[in-house]
Amino acid sequence: MDIIESIAVLDFGSQYSQLIARRIRECKVYSKIFSWDSSASEIAESGAKGIILSGGPSSVYNTGAPMPDPKIFDLGIPVLGICYGLQLTVKIHGGKVARSDRREYGSAILDVSSKDRIFKGLPSKKMKVWMSHGDKVLSLPEGFKALAGTSNTEFAVISNPDRRIYGLQFHPEVVHTPDGSTIIRNFCRDVCACKGLWNMESFIEASVRDIRAELGKDKVVLGLSGGVDSSVAAALINKAVGRQLTCIFVNNGLLRKDEDKKVKDLFAGAFKMNLVYVDATKSFLRKLSGVTDPEQKRKIIGHEFVRVFQKESSAQRGAKFLAQGTTYPDVIESVSIKGNPSALIKSHHNVGGLPKNMKLKLLEPLRCLFKDEVRELGRQLGLPEEIVMRQPFPGPGLAVRLIGAANEKDLEILRNADAIVVEEMKKEGFYYKTWQAFAVLLPVKTVGVMGDERTYENVLALRIVESSDGMTADWSRLPYEFLANLSNRIINEVRGVNRVVYDLTSKPPGTIEWE
């Protein structure tokens, strides 16, 4: 991707690294996250106009603490260290960092003592900031000076003006620092002299050019799920190369109600794309028969998808590329700070597991975009709001929302209940205000009374959560009247359900999905 200007974010294991990158993009400047051990030459080759060192869980004086290539400070471009990044900057340049007698976590008041362009546009010399550190700077290196402090931290903002190096002990990227975005903008636009040219129009123009150059006259196949990422990827590639793209849509029998029809009508109908539809319902359900372990279900679904997709893609003669809707969080969450796979919470069903003997080159046109950017791209490409703003849906589909073994009868119950949930959420205006809203069918039956007759039917749980990124979530406090109506509709219209419960668990400790 030919990006005009960018800021490099070196990730030292901070939970906020993605948030830093997002804040930079809000300034209309492209951002890219690099591993902490990336070389100075790699940063220089990326064309970055500035560098931000993230926070992290380590202490700079500990053995084995991640240390950047010191040559990044000699590239002649501005550097901003945040929290651990500030302490690294101080240590590398000869200052002193030690464990603090008084740790500082939470809100603090920053007192700005010196004028500097990093503070441009701030409403006053005192500002609320968010601290999270147990170490502190005891002395500054030569050439550095303090610009601001708190009651507990003398060197809360530092700089070396001659070398355009800055350090912040607090976190400007979090919402708990109300004016933090202004500081990040000042660094990007004033200190680094970025013009702010990053937008979807320029991205589309550059992407179309790059896709055409990479593919030439070769064909590309894409596994279309109907979700946001694969749909947007399909629309973008279609804009670039049209009929050179073939989308393969596999119905695994675990889809939402009428999902297959909607996908065919939109992509084969409205967009006139080459679409291969494969109904593999029987093979998926046969392999899932009797399997109750959620991780095992995911693996079976993933493996079967690979088998079906490989068979169908092999039939597309002349295809030399495999396209995926991989997004930036997928890329940077795939490995941990030490380069090892992150701790397993649940495996992900993705075309990325396709065997190497397919001999297809990978095309991932969304791999530098965050989710909100993908949605905006979809709008620019003419996708309907129903697709662009669709809530996350798990790759293994309804199999992970049916607790226990998947079978046609229970899937039909869950599919009908799910359709009512989505319909009512949209009708009452709650769907686009929440992160996810769905039903979970439990392997539990309870006694009920319907029409003076005793019933013994399934329990259905409603899971409706609010979140900004899916990393944390809280259950949605929807009106009782709405929940009562939703429960009544499900019990009255879905045969096999006689009780509805509402999940009040946040994430953490729970996950959003039940399996």
Side-chain angles (χ1 to χ4, degrees):
M1 177 59 59
D2 181 18
I3 302 299
I4 296 174
E5 53 191 13
S6 67
I7 301 293
V9 179
L10 266 61
D11 180 16
F12 291 89
S14 171
Q15 60 180 318
Y16 300 131
S17 292
Q18 284 194 44
L19 194 51
I20 296 171
R22 289 177 63 86
R23 293 289 181 258
I24 295 169
R25 295 193 187 190
E26 288 169 4
C27 305
K28 295 188 176 181
V29 176
Y30 181 67
S31 58
K32 183 177 180 181
I33 297 179
F34 291 81
S35 173
W36 60 271
D37 57 355
S38 298
S39 67
S41 59
E42 184 179 352
I43 303 299
E45 289 170 5
S46 75
K49 298 191 71 173
I51 301 171
I52 294 183
L53 311 180
S54 82
S58 302
S59 293
V60 296
Y61 46 77
N62 285 348
T63 302
M67 302 292 288
D69 181 350
K71 293 179 181 178
I72 63 172
F73 293 98
D74 300 323
L75 293 175
I77 59 176
V79 179
L80 170 65
I82 296 175
C83 199
Y84 180 77
L86 171 144
Q87 295 162 11
L88 281 172
T89 302
V90 169
K91 179 177 174 59
I92 288 171
H93 290 88
K96 187 175 182 182
V97 180
R99 180 166 297 280
S100 176
D101 293 332
R102 181 182 167 196
R103 296 183 300 175
E104 196 170 22
Y105 294 98
S107 185
I109 299 299
L110 184 76
D111 188 4
V112 178
S113 57
S114 298
K115 287 185 177 182
D116 191 279
R117 55 186 166 178
I118 201 75
F119 300 129
K120 177 183 174 182
L122 295 181
S124 71
K125 291 186 177 182
K126 292 186 181 295
M127 60 180 287
K128 184 179 177 182
V129 298
W130 187 260
M131 293 285 192
S132 180
H133 64 102
D135 299 333
K136 69 184 300 183
V137 175
L138 300 183
S139 63
L140 292 179
E142 184 179 350
F144 284 77
K145 65 178 183 178
L147 300 180
T150 69
S151 60
N152 182 54
T153 304
E154 180 183 357
F155 306 115
V157 182
I158 64 172
S159 79
N160 183 320
D162 294 336
R163 300 178 64 191
R164 295 184 296 169
I165 300 174
Y166 288 85
L168 309 175
Q169 186 57 77
F170 59 89
H171 288 275
E173 69 274 20
V174 301
V175 295
H176 307 295
T177 302
D179 296 312
S181 293
T182 299
I183 292 177
I184 292 177
R185 186 186 189 282
N186 289 340
F187 177 75
C188 295
R189 302 290 288 273
D190 291 282
V191 179
C192 299
C194 292
K195 296 178 182 178
L197 302 176
W198 165 253
N199 55 48
M200 277 303 111
E201 290 83 358
S202 63
F203 176 81
I204 291 173
E205 183 181 342
S207 294
V208 167
R209 183 174 64 247
D210 290 348
I211 292 170
R212 287 173 178 170
E214 187 168 1
L215 264 61
K217 294 184 179 180
D218 292 330
K219 294 180 180 180
V220 55
V221 293
L222 179 146
L224 184 64
S225 70
V228 179
D229 299 338
S230 68
S231 296
V232 174
L236 179 60
I237 297 170
N238 181 63
K239 181 178 178 65
V241 295
R243 306 295 284 183
Q244 288 174 241
L245 167 68
T246 296
C247 295
I248 300 174
F249 177 64
V250 178
N251 184 349
N252 57 13
L254 307 169
L255 305 176
R256 284 175 156 169
K257 191 171 184 176
D258 298 328
E259 182 78 9
D260 53 346
K261 182 180 184 302
K262 292 176 182 176
V263 169
K264 287 187 285 187
D265 287 348
L266 177 62
F267 293 96
F271 276 84
K272 307 297 183 185
M273 294 185 195
N274 291 325
L275 179 66
V276 175
Y277 172 73
V278 184
D279 188 352
T281 299
K282 290 183 179 179
S283 67
F284 275 88
L285 293 186
R286 184 172 60 250
K287 291 183 181 298
L288 288 169
S289 178
V291 179
T292 59
D293 179 75
E295 189 60 26
Q296 187 63 24
K297 285 195 287 186
R298 288 176 178 271
K299 289 179 179 178
I300 289 173
I301 294 166
H303 290 156
E304 183 62 8
F305 179 86
V306 167
R307 187 190 71 79
V308 174
F309 187 89
Q310 183 177 16
K311 178 182 177 181
E312 295 302 326
S313 60
S314 298
Q316 303 304 311
R317 300 190 182 280
K320 295 186 178 180
F321 286 84
L322 168 67
Q324 293 188 161
T326 308
T327 62
Y328 203 33
D330 298 330
V331 174
I332 57 184
E333 286 178 353
S334 61
V335 293
S336 69
I337 183 174
K338 295 186 182 299
N340 298 317
S342 300
L344 177 66
I345 297 176
K346 57 188 177 185
S347 62
H348 290 273
H349 160 55
N350 193 290
V351 192
L354 290 172
K356 294 180 180 179
N357 61 12
M358 287 189 72
K359 298 179 180 179
L360 294 176
K361 300 176 184 177
L362 204 56
L363 178 67
E364 297 174 310
L366 311 181
R367 67 180 286 113
C368 67
L369 298 183
F370 287 102
K371 194 74 170 189
D372 58 328
E373 295 171 324
V374 173
R375 295 187 195 278
E376 179 57 29
L377 174 60
R379 290 190 186 95
Q380 298 274 349
L381 293 169
L383 287 172
E385 199 72 4
E386 182 179 355
I387 291 290
V388 170
M389 290 305 295
R390 184 179 182 182
Q391 292 182 350
F393 187 68
L398 296 180
V400 296
R401 294 178 179 175
L402 194 164
I403 311 303
N407 59 79
E408 288 191 35
K409 179 183 176 182
D410 287 344
L411 282 167
E412 189 63 17
I413 292 173
L414 181 56
R415 192 173 284 117
N416 290 332
D418 174 80
I420 292 174
V421 172
V422 173
E423 179 185 333
E424 287 295 320
M425 289 289 290
K426 288 182 177 179
K427 185 174 74 174
E428 298 300 325
F430 296 128
Y431 184 82
Y432 298 120
K433 296 179 181 178
T434 55
W435 179 261
Q436 273 178 279
F438 56 89
V440 180
L441 188 64
L442 307 183
V444 175
K445 291 191 175 184
T446 65
V447 173
V449 178
M450 300 177 74
D452 294 328
E453 292 185 3
R454 179 182 182 274
T455 63
Y456 191 58
E457 302 289 0
N458 296 88
V459 177
L460 189 96
L462 297 177
R463 182 66 161 151
I464 306 175
V465 299
E466 297 174 3
S467 176
S468 60
D469 54 14
M471 302 301 291
T472 61
D474 196 12
W475 60 279
S476 185
R477 274 72 166 172
L478 295 176
Y480 294 153
E481 294 80 2
F482 170 77
L483 294 174
N485 178 61
L486 189 53
S487 173
N488 288 338
R489 275 204 63 188
I490 291 171
I491 291 173
N492 288 332
E493 299 177 30
V494 181
R495 291 187 177 275
V497 176
N498 70 355
R499 190 178 300 271
V500 174
V501 298
Y502 194 47
D503 186 348
L504 307 182
T505 312
S506 61
K507 176 188 178 181
T511 53
I512 295 178
E513 298 286 348
W514 278 39
E515 286 197 344

